[in-house]
Amino acid sequence: MAQSRNGLTAAVLSVSGSFLVLLAFTTKSWLVTDGKLKDPEFETLGLWVVCLKGFEDPRHFYDTRFHNCSWVFEEEYYIISDIIFEDFYIATQCFFTACILLAVSGLFYSALYLYLNKAYECYIQILSAGILNIAAAVCSSIALIIFGVYGDSREWMPHWEHTDLGWSFGVAVTGSIALYFSGVLYVIEQRIYKVKQEKMATQTSNYNYEANDLIQLSHTAV
């Protein structure tokens, strides 16, 4: 059985959503400065990279300033690691990483669905792709809600009134929506395949009964 338009749409959304969440995962603009400060200490931050410009420990425990973009686990950042790694930030990283793993797994089953042609072969692939995409979207939603609530708060980065959620956050939202739609369409497609399989099984059973009846009638006539 060839792939339906509904199934192909789900596959396209799965690929698009996975690409967008991967893009958000690897870029550094989840939180950005609004550009209204002349010398902002903070510039941009992603899940794994932070860009600082003259930032120093607000507690003044160390006389060190940071002027570059670096991986958040960079050794020199140990001085301010407790400032960067707030609980909500770690939770965002964990949930969004789970989203990426689930979305990539969903791509595998989407590829199998596009490769296979028979309904009985596609049944498990469609259901798996749908469940994985919905689970990825749920994990992403949790991460986005957590970061949206706490990322722009006054208790984290300096000059909180001049920080905004960046384009990477928006890309993550768009990718999550695409994954939700993809997952729902896959579940619908799986249901359609299941109904068709049941009809085919019923028709086959009826045909066998009719064939047996004809054989019995022929034997009786003889």
Side-chain angles (χ1 to χ4, degrees):
M1 181 177 180
Q3 292 83 3
S4 67
R5 181 178 298 178
N6 182 73
L8 292 175
T9 302
V12 170
L13 287 173
S14 178
V15 173
S16 301
S18 298
F19 171 76
L20 290 173
V21 294
L22 277 169
L23 181 62
F25 186 73
T26 55
T27 50
K28 59 183 181 182
S29 295
W30 280 62
L31 189 69
V32 299
T33 183
D34 62 8
K36 295 179 180 179
L37 283 178
K38 184 177 180 180
D39 296 308
E41 296 178 69
F42 162 78
E43 292 185 324
T44 62
L45 175 136
L47 294 183
W48 311 106
V49 177
V50 60
C51 297
L52 302 174
K53 188 176 180 180
F55 182 86
E56 64 178 339
D57 181 4
R59 300 158 301 187
H60 304 290
F61 291 164
Y62 303 92
D63 187 18
T64 303
R65 288 181 177 270
F66 302 91
H67 297 274
N68 55 358
C69 292
S70 296
W71 190 40
V72 292
F73 297 106
E74 192 70 33
E75 185 178 354
E76 64 177 307
Y77 280 173
Y78 79 93
I79 296 174
I80 56 173
S81 61
D82 58 329
I83 297 174
I84 295 176
F85 289 105
E86 291 281 350
D87 291 340
F88 79 87
Y89 183 63
I90 296 173
T92 301
Q93 290 176 318
C94 291
F95 278 108
F96 209 76
T97 299
C99 164
I100 295 298
L101 295 175
L102 291 166
V104 171
S105 299
L107 282 179
F108 171 74
Y109 286 103
S110 293
L112 286 179
Y113 165 67
L114 293 174
Y115 176 75
L116 300 174
N117 290 319
K118 297 180 180 179
Y120 71 87
E121 291 178 333
C122 294
Y123 182 83
I124 298 300
Q125 283 72 24
I126 294 172
L127 181 60
S128 299
I131 292 173
L132 287 169
N133 282 343
I134 291 174
V138 169
C139 288
S140 176
S141 298
I142 295 172
L144 292 168
I145 291 171
I146 292 173
F147 193 85
V149 171
Y150 296 103
D152 197 24
S153 69
R154 66 179 65 195
E155 298 177 358
W156 197 29
M157 289 297 169
H159 306 295
W160 61 272
E161 68 276 13
H162 291 287
T163 58
D164 297 314
L165 298 175
W167 65 266
S168 297
F169 185 89
V171 167
V173 171
T174 305
S176 300
I177 294 172
L179 289 174
Y180 270 122
F181 277 107
S182 174
V184 171
L185 289 176
Y186 270 133
V187 171
I188 293 173
E189 187 73 1
Q190 176 267 340
R191 179 58 183 169
I192 293 172
Y193 271 21
K194 184 177 180 180
V195 170
K196 288 181 178 179
Q197 284 181 323
E198 291 174 350
K199 287 183 178 179
M200 290 175 62
T202 302
Q203 291 173 356
T204 301
S205 178
N206 291 337
Y207 175 79
N208 290 334
Y209 281 129
E210 291 173 0
N212 290 332
D213 290 341
L214 288 173
I215 292 172
Q216 291 177 359
L217 287 173
S218 62
H219 286 167
T220 302
V222 172

